[in-house]
Amino acid sequence: MKRFLFFLYFITSTAFSQESTNILTLEEYLGYVKKFHPILKQAQLVSSSGEIKLLKARGAFDPKIEVDYSRKNFKDTEYYNKLNTTFKIPTWYGIEFKANYESNDGYYLNPELKTPKEGLYSAGVSLSLAKGLLTNQRMASLKQAKLYNDQSIEKQKLLVNDILFEAINTYFKWLKNYQTQIVYTDYLTNAKVRLENVKKSFLSGDKPAVDTLEASINYKNRLLDLEKSKITYIKSKLETANFLWLNDNIPLELTNTVIPDINTVQIIDTVLTNSIENTLNFNVEEHPKMKYLQLEKESLLVEKRLKLNNLLPKVDLQYNFLSSNYKSINSFNTSNYKGALNISLPLFLRKERADLKLAKLKIKEIDFDISATKTQIENKVKGTVQQIDSYKEQNRILENLVNDYKQLVKSEERKFYLGEGSLFLINYREVKLIENQLKFIDTQFNYFVSKSELIKVLNRYTL
């Protein structure tokens, strides 16, 4: 498949200025994911599957036409010639309307099957008086199919939520590794400048040779750290590209000129439409996971009613008016009829009682699952809110620490070039500065992920 370069696609768009073509913002990134990602399109098939199963269950109530024809001739003798056609209309409760036409003759035909020359017409009804009257397998299947269709909608919401959560966190990881690479790049430049200055000072006799060695070691360490960060950054960029597609399932590539938005912290709440206030009016019962489990319970209750109904005896009644002249309604009367009564009841009902007990056990299990899920969601929301507050405070503290360490490093550098400090102390202070800058980047990443996780727990990610 032909792969398009993401940068080329960006520069053909008139919606962005020349200065911003290399920056892929979180909002733009989410726009591509929601519109073109094939897994999100696949998630939409879940609801389609529910609609198809519902259509299949409704098929059990479709009217039916049946034709049964058989004939036997042997040694010039017509043994029998039988034709039986039936039109049936099933209804919601255990009632079925039926119209029938029979035409039977033959030398060896069973006398009870004999019909008038013009055939025999019948119209009647069959119904269940006990088992199958208020509920039966056909009714239960349709109810469960409707519930499954509703479940598939909630399941689709959960799938979309998970995919968008993963996509956003991948972008945050790409941003984190990009910021880390910038830090190592800046301090590699500092180490290189410092090495050159120390060499000049050594040649002029102001610094000892050991300072050049220490400056060289520090430069090589910064170079090594940068190379490691480049590998991590490339991997995260490729992971981010996995979520970028165009129409017709054409994947996009992130070129080296495309970078994440380092100002994401300023727009994250706007893009995610996230705020702590959203949790105040959060109703856990409206969560798709809770709705899914409640619908599952309703389906099990339908199953339980069916199993309970199976404890009743089977009492099926059929009654059909008979006539050889279908053109005259008056020809159908109570003096010409065909009826049947069928009664059946297992003596011990062991299978039926066992099925009912299993259905009750499943309902108890889903009740436990609903209670546990409700508690988990509520606690997850509370924990995530506290996590966001904590990371926000950690960011503030680390930002102050980074500023303090920057001042400390500058002070040591001034003392060193004035002949009062040492290169070792400068490098030590700088290592601490880098550590705290990386901690700040890592904490900011965790802050972003916590914001994203809150949206996921609330299930607010939508297409």
Side-chain angles (χ1 to χ4, degrees), residues 245-263:
W245 297 74
L246 282 178
N247 206 2
D248 299 325
N249 294 332
I250 300 175
L252 294 176
E253 292 182 359
L254 287 173
T255 65
N256 293 331
T257 57
V258 181
I259 61 174
D261 184 11
I262 60 175
N263 297 316

Side-chain angles (χ1 to χ4, degrees), residues 323 325-332:
S323 174
N325 182 12
Y326 72 94
K327 295 181 180 180
S328 176
I329 298 299
N330 295 330
S331 64
F332 290 95

Side-chain angles (χ1 to χ4, degrees), residues 212-223:
T212 61
L213 178 60
E214 186 167 350
S216 177
I217 292 173
N218 185 61
Y219 172 74
K220 292 173 183 176
N221 281 327
R222 298 289 177 266
L223 189 62

Side-chain angles (χ1 to χ4, degrees), residues 129-132 307-315 344-346 349:
L129 298 179
K131 176 181 177 181
K307 302 304 181 184
L308 184 63
N309 184 261
N310 287 342
L311 295 175
L312 298 175
K314 181 181 179 182
V315 182
S344 173
L345 176 66
L349 294 171

Side-chain angles (χ1 to χ4, degrees), residues 70-87:
S70 60
R71 183 176 182 176
K72 181 178 179 181
N73 279 290
F74 185 66
K75 293 184 177 179
D76 299 326
T77 301
E78 185 182 70
Y79 277 58
Y80 58 79
N81 188 357
K82 296 186 292 183
L83 173 65
N84 190 330
T85 61
T86 306
F87 177 66

Side-chain angles (χ1 to χ4, degrees), residues 337-361:
Y337 69 91
K338 180 173 66 174
L341 177 65
N342 180 271
I343 301 176
S344 173
L345 176 66
L347 294 180
F348 300 109
L349 294 171
R350 284 180 288 199
K351 177 181 180 301
E352 289 75 9
R353 286 188 287 114
D355 287 341
L356 180 58
K357 287 181 179 180
L358 288 173
K360 290 180 178 179
L361 284 176

Side-chain angles (χ1 to χ4, degrees), residues 9 36 44 51 59 137 152 166 212 228 238 244 252 257 271 305 364 377 416 450-451 459:
Y9 181 81
F36 299 118
Q44 297 176 30
E51 293 173 358
Q137 186 62 57
S152 65
E166 183 182 354
T212 61
K228 289 180 179 179
L238 292 174
L244 293 171
L252 294 176
T257 57
V271 175
R305 286 192 290 269
K364 287 184 178 180
I377 294 174
F416 174 72
S450 297
K451 289 263 186 180
N459 207 90

Side-chain angles (χ1 to χ4, degrees), residues 34-220:
K34 290 181 179 182
K35 190 171 183 180
F36 299 118
H37 197 284
I39 303 300
L40 286 177
K41 294 180 180 178
Q42 184 179 357
Q44 297 176 30
L45 297 179
V46 175
S47 58
S48 298
S49 174
E51 293 173 358
I52 293 172
K53 289 189 176 183
L54 178 58
L55 179 63
K56 178 181 177 181
R58 283 176 173 159
F61 294 89
D62 289 344
K64 298 178 181 178
I65 296 178
E66 297 177 358
V67 178
D68 182 12
Y69 177 73
S70 60
R71 183 176 182 176
K72 181 178 179 181
N73 279 290
F74 185 66
K75 293 184 177 179
D76 299 326
T77 301
E78 185 182 70
Y79 277 58
Y80 58 79
N81 188 357
K82 296 186 292 183
L83 173 65
N84 190 330
T85 61
T86 306
F87 177 66
K88 298 179 180 179
I89 303 177
T91 61
W92 178 249
Y93 293 102
I95 302 174
E96 185 176 77
F97 296 99
K98 182 170 64 173
N100 181 266
Y101 172 74
E102 290 182 81
S103 179
N104 306 321
D105 57 30
Y107 189 76
Y108 292 108
L109 183 69
N110 190 328
E112 70 176 24
L113 300 177
K114 191 72 175 178
T115 61
K117 184 177 181 181
E118 59 274 12
L120 185 64
Y121 299 89
S122 65
V125 63
S126 63
L127 68 155
S128 298
L129 298 179
K131 176 181 177 181
L133 176 61
L134 297 179
T135 185
N136 53 51
Q137 186 62 57
R138 185 169 54 196
M139 295 163 59
S141 295
L142 181 55
K143 287 180 180 178
Q144 288 177 323
K146 290 179 179 178
L147 292 171
Y148 179 83
N149 186 41
D150 293 337
Q151 276 186 293
S152 65
I153 295 174
E154 302 304 325
K155 186 177 180 181
Q156 178 187 342
K157 293 178 182 178
L158 292 171
L159 288 174
V160 169
N161 199 58
D162 290 342
I163 295 169
L164 291 178
F165 173 73
E166 183 182 354
I168 288 174
N169 285 355
T170 303
Y171 180 91
F172 292 153
K173 186 177 179 182
W174 178 39
L175 173 61
K176 170 193 169 184
N177 292 328
Y178 174 73
Q179 291 174 313
T180 300
Q181 183 175 273
I182 289 177
V183 169
Y184 284 125
T185 301
D186 290 343
Y187 286 102
L188 175 65
T189 303
N190 290 348
K192 185 176 181 180
V193 171
R194 189 176 298 133
L195 175 59
E196 295 298 328
N197 290 337
V198 170
K199 283 181 179 179
K200 291 178 181 178
S201 297
F202 166 71
L203 293 175
S204 63
D206 294 333
K207 300 294 179 183
V210 69
D211 282 350
T212 61
L213 178 60
E214 186 167 350
S216 177
I217 292 173
N218 185 61
Y219 172 74
K220 292 173 183 176

